[in-house]
């Protein structure tokens, strides 16, 4: 399976609803590496790297997020995979 990387920005009511923790939990279950963080403007930013199918599952999940989230938009930028991550973590 090819490895891909997606840089994702999620907007809406996505902070204060355990979005980062649930993103980390799902990424670990799917074997996706990278990170997730809150941004000052209320969005959540994440980088997902892994098998294409798993990364696409992460992106689809971001469209609804955890219970309590109200996602308005998910912006995705595909980038070259680097293999730099050993796991998935919450940063910032």
């Amino acid at each position: 399976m090819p490895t891909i990387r997606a840089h994702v920005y999620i907007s809406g009511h996505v902070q204060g609803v355990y979005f980062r923790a649930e993103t980390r939990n799902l990424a670990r279950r799917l074997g996706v590496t990278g990170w997730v963080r809150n941004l000052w403007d209320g969005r959540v930013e994440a980088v997902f790297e892994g098998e294409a199918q798993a990364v696409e599952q992460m992106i689809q999940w971001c469209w609804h997020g955890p219970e309590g989230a109200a996602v308005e938009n998910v912006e995705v930028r595909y980038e070259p995979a680097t293999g730099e991550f050993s796991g998935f973590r919450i940063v910032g």
Side-chain angles (χ1 to χ4, degrees):
M1 281 299 237
T3 298
I4 67 169
R5 179 181 180 128
H7 199 144
V8 181
Y9 295 88
I10 305 106
S11 58
H13 179 67
V14 293
Q15 291 188 13
V17 293
Y18 299 100
F19 207 103
R20 293 175 301 159
E22 292 298 324
T23 301
R24 179 192 58 205
N25 294 343
L26 180 59
R28 289 178 174 173
R29 283 195 305 272
L30 295 175
V32 171
T33 62
W35 53 265
V36 63
R37 69 178 174 183
N38 284 340
L39 295 176
W40 64 272
D41 62 4
R43 295 180 298 163
V44 170
E45 177 185 20
V47 172
F48 304 132
E49 193 165 293
E51 290 185 1
Q53 182 179 6
V55 170
E56 293 301 329
Q57 279 185 262
M58 292 297 304
I59 293 167
Q60 288 305 309
W61 179 85
C62 286
W63 276 100
H64 58 82
E67 187 176 330
V71 177
E72 293 175 3
N73 191 45
V74 178
E75 178 185 339
V76 182
R77 298 179 192 160
Y78 291 96
E79 304 170 345
T82 64
E84 68 186 273
F85 308 115
S86 60
F88 196 92
R89 62 190 181 106
I90 297 171
V91 297

